[in-house]
Amino acid sequence: MEQRVIISKNLKEELAAAISECEHDKIFVLTDKTTEELCWPVINKFFSLKKAKLITIPASDNHKTIESVMSVWEALGQQGATRHSCMINLGGGMVTDLGGFAASTFKRGIDFINIPTTLLAMVDASVGGKTGINFNGLKNEIGVFNDSKFVILNTTFLKTLDQENICSGYAEMLKHGLISTNKMWADLVNFDLQHPELDTLQRMVAESVNVKEHIVKQDPHEKGIRKALNLGHTFGHAFESFCMKRTPILHGYAVAYGLICELYMSCMKTGFPTDKMRQTVSFIQDNFGSINITCDDYDELIELMTHDKKNTAGTINFTLLGDIGDIKINQTATTEEIKECLDFFREG
């Protein structure tokens, strides 16, 4: 089943059309506390949702848990959901991931529609059929591949975001540019991220989603080229897990820091041009700052990398670049090389 991505100009009409193409004896809308307050009022008066039942879970990634999924299953059961019901996930990546997983497993799977409300969810979480929850202290440890029937992208919701969340989503767009074309990369590193112009951003979101869709269609279950999307994520997930135990950082910030390390590793191992690496690193440092790590943290970060789902038989796997768009999957590095990248990250 192919997911259809709608770059939305008229949310009311597009949502009504999407619902009409899904089985829907009953409609449920899943939000978290934040999107219930900020985003649900944007759509709750739509005629197509007049009988919809709202389910709300606590906000933030530390509630992306089996307990939250169970509360969604319970609410669906108590309110009479059947195999022919439809769920709309209105929220950021946590809601679209968790809601997708809950919908995919309730009565062996009901239709769902994603309406991502953060930039990160628009360009990353809601496209590509990955659903899941965190478990045992590991990100997205439990989940399934299952496409939503539709993803509706409307930048109206970005007005509800703070600067940090705009930046978080933008890191994934930067990654998409790096694995795509020089023009797309150049547009991204020259964009004024501190004062984003929403119409320009909507065009860039559409381009970004196209990159991801194109790759996912070729490789839905991450056997080969889809690993291109892991650029920045081997170091990035380690930074994210490391910070979870200290001062948590947003996913996109972790990816941005991971890109610094993996572009440096690409210069070192696969011939990525140093000037493009420097330009990208400067853009990241200017817009995302940094985190404090010391040499004493290296072993813990490397240990976290060994738990990454992308690894095979205990070997840490990296996606690197030979140039913009020249993707080198299944690359490995020695402990010394990984530490050299962390040195570069610290000293920049």
Side-chain angles (χ1 to χ4, degrees):
M1 200 275 297
E2 198 172 294
Q3 155 176 288
R4 276 170 284 178
V5 178
I6 298 164
I7 306 295
S8 168
K9 298 282 187 281
N10 185 325
L11 189 56
K12 184 190 273 191
E13 285 177 15
E14 285 140 356
L15 181 57
I19 290 170
S20 73
E21 290 197 41
C22 295
E23 287 206 83
H24 63 283
D25 58 357
K26 289 190 173 167
I27 296 169
F28 296 84
V29 178
L30 180 70
T31 61
D32 65 19
K33 285 272 190 278
T34 307
T35 53
E36 179 187 15
E37 187 185 323
L38 297 174
C39 305
W40 175 231
V42 176
I43 65 170
N44 68 0
K45 299 286 192 291
F46 290 180
F47 181 75
S48 59
L49 295 176
K50 74 174 192 299
K51 291 184 178 167
K53 298 180 188 314
L54 189 67
I55 301 172
T56 301
I57 55 176
S60 86
D61 207 66
N62 54 351
H63 289 107
K64 191 174 167 182
T65 59
I66 191 68
E67 288 75 22
S68 294
V69 176
M70 286 166 66
S71 72
V72 175
W73 288 330
E74 276 170 22
L76 289 168
Q78 284 164 0
Q79 298 185 68
T82 73
R83 288 182 67 179
H84 308 290
S85 298
C86 177
M87 190 152 86
I88 296 164
N89 298 316
L90 178 71
M94 187 277 254
V95 171
T96 59
D97 275 7
L98 185 148
F101 179 61
S104 301
T105 45
F106 183 79
K107 295 191 184 292
R108 296 207 179 101
I110 61 173
D111 282 351
F112 63 101
I113 295 168
N114 285 335
I115 307 179
T117 58
T118 66
L119 188 56
L120 180 62
M122 286 179 190
V123 298
D124 186 43
S126 65
V127 179
K130 283 185 176 180
T131 72
I133 53 169
N134 304 335
F135 186 70
N136 261 355
L138 297 170
K139 258 185 81 69
N140 299 328
E141 182 76 349
I142 307 292
V144 295
F145 282 101
N146 188 29
D147 274 329
S148 58
K149 290 281 274 195
F150 294 91
V151 180
I152 302 176
L153 304 179
N154 190 302
T155 46
T156 303
F157 293 112
L158 298 183
K159 293 174 186 156
T160 66
L161 288 188
D162 58 20
Q163 184 62 31
E164 268 200 318
N165 276 287
I166 295 275
C167 285
S168 183
Y170 200 83
E172 292 285 356
M173 293 172 67
L174 191 55
K175 176 200 76 179
H176 290 154
L178 284 161
I179 62 176
S180 183
T181 63
N182 273 298
K183 184 188 179 311
M184 189 173 169
W185 167 77
D187 281 351
L188 286 156
V189 292
N190 290 301
F191 184 67
D192 183 358
L193 189 51
Q194 297 308 309
H195 308 93
E197 206 277 305
L198 281 187
D199 285 347
T200 308
L201 196 58
Q202 174 132 352
R203 174 183 61 76
M204 290 162 80
V205 164
E207 287 172 6
S208 199
V209 167
N210 282 340
V211 171
K212 181 162 187 185
E213 270 199 296
H214 176 66
I215 287 173
V216 168
K217 272 180 188 153
Q218 295 175 64
D219 178 20
H221 295 117
E222 209 168 295
K223 301 282 186 270
I225 190 61
R226 184 168 177 161
K227 293 178 182 174
L229 299 171
N230 294 331
L231 179 68
H233 282 63
T234 303
F235 277 93
H237 279 155
F239 285 140
E240 192 168 7
S241 299
F242 176 83
C243 292
M244 258 184 199
K245 300 175 192 155
R246 296 162 177 87
T247 307
I249 56 174
L250 293 172
H251 174 71
Y253 279 71
V255 170
Y257 304 147
L259 286 172
I260 292 177
C261 297
E262 290 174 36
L263 288 178
Y264 179 79
M265 187 182 279
S266 297
C267 291
M268 196 164 57
K269 296 180 72 73
T270 51
F272 188 79
T274 308
D275 59 330
K276 291 177 183 172
M277 182 271 287
R278 289 270 173 209
Q279 198 176 341
T280 312
V281 168
S282 292
F283 179 85
I284 291 169
Q285 288 169 337
D286 290 347
N287 289 284
F288 294 82
S290 191
I291 49 170
N292 284 325
I293 57 167
T294 70
C295 302
D296 296 339
D297 299 320
Y298 288 7
D299 288 342
E300 183 182 345
L301 286 162
I302 291 168
E303 172 64 21
L304 287 164
M305 284 182 215
T306 63
H307 286 294
D308 201 290
K309 290 186 295 300
K310 298 180 289 296
N311 296 337
T312 45
T315 305
I316 301 173
N317 234 309
F318 296 92
T319 293
L320 303 178
L321 297 175
D323 201 339
I324 306 290
D326 178 15
I327 299 150
K328 312 281 189 191
I329 62 170
N330 298 333
Q331 302 293 306
T332 57
T334 65
T335 302
E336 291 316 306
E337 287 167 333
I338 293 171
K339 288 182 176 177
E340 191 181 329
C341 296
L342 291 168
D343 284 340
F344 176 77
F345 175 75
R346 283 175 50 225
E347 291 148 23

